[in-house]
Amino acid sequence: MSRPRVLVTYASRHGSTRELAEALARELVESPTGRRADLFAAALPAESHPDPAAWDAVVLGSAVYAGRWLPPARDLATRCAGTLRRRPVWLFSSGPIGDPPYPPDEPEDAASLTALLAPRGHRVLPGRLDRSLLGFAERAVVTAMRAPVGDFRDWDGLREWAGEIATALAETPVTAPPGPSSGS
């Protein structure tokens, strides 16, 4: 059996979600379970149009703004839904900030993406708010909302989730059929 190839693809506006995706790909490979399964993982931006058909499993995520995923991640999910449904898929949404995390609700897209892709799971991961990375309009919104500034990402939780994904892939042989990268 060849080693499972895991695509971690993401949409990020200011780099926080990209950093989460890159760390997740590293953790998948470095986790004890990942090492046993001899996983290969790579993090690629959704806007680069990676082909899920070339991968055995996919983790798809996006930063969340105003309750919605960014268009590149939503577009990839829609365009490649048929291929993604034939593979083990996990979803993640990045964005809540503060303690307790705000907003506390799941992103608006979570239910529709779950219905479309039938993923093995969806995680909402805390994000980072760095005012120096924001444009004028974004800073105005952050100020008006009195949003907490800081890095709220949970690296231990991300590491644990990577272990869960690696374990799931090790326990269930990945035998995704070859298929087109588009639609159903």
Side-chain angles (χ1 to χ4, degrees):
M1 174 189 238
S2 63
R3 66 187 194 164
R5 295 172 34 90
V6 182
L7 169 64
V8 180
T9 187
Y10 60 90
S12 183
R13 185 175 288 170
H14 299 294
S16 177
T17 304
R18 174 186 48 80
E19 291 168 354
L20 286 168
E22 290 170 349
L24 181 61
R26 270 191 316 275
E27 292 297 335
L28 282 167
V29 172
E30 294 172 3
S31 74
T33 305
R35 210 174 278 127
R36 263 185 263 124
D38 197 20
L39 292 173
F40 172 79
L44 300 172
E47 60 265 12
S48 72
H49 305 285
D51 182 3
W55 300 84
D56 300 306
V58 177
V59 180
L60 171 60
S62 179
V64 176
Y65 288 87
R68 306 268 328 213
W69 273 30
L70 295 174
R74 284 196 322 260
D75 295 347
L76 187 140
T78 303
R79 184 173 34 82
C80 300
T83 299
L84 291 169
R85 280 192 301 266
R86 292 189 299 271
R87 280 160 179 67
V89 171
W90 288 264
L91 304 176
F92 74 92
S93 300
S94 166
I97 52 176
D99 188 17
Y102 178 83
D105 305 322
E106 288 231 342
E108 293 175 24
D109 297 320
S112 61
L113 289 169
T114 296
L116 177 67
L117 303 176
R120 293 188 176 192
H122 172 247
R123 290 283 171 108
V124 177
L125 304 174
R128 174 188 73 201
L129 179 58
D130 181 344
R131 289 180 59 85
S132 70
L133 300 175
L134 305 178
F136 177 77
E138 291 172 315
R139 281 194 310 273
V141 169
V142 164
T143 300
M145 293 177 57
R146 297 182 184 179
V149 174
D151 190 341
F152 303 96
R153 294 173 293 181
D154 178 3
W155 300 109
D156 290 335
L158 184 78
R159 191 172 300 110
E160 182 180 310
W161 188 43
E164 292 171 20
I165 293 170
T167 297
L169 291 171
E171 290 174 352
T172 308
V174 177
T175 57
S181 63
S182 61
S184 49

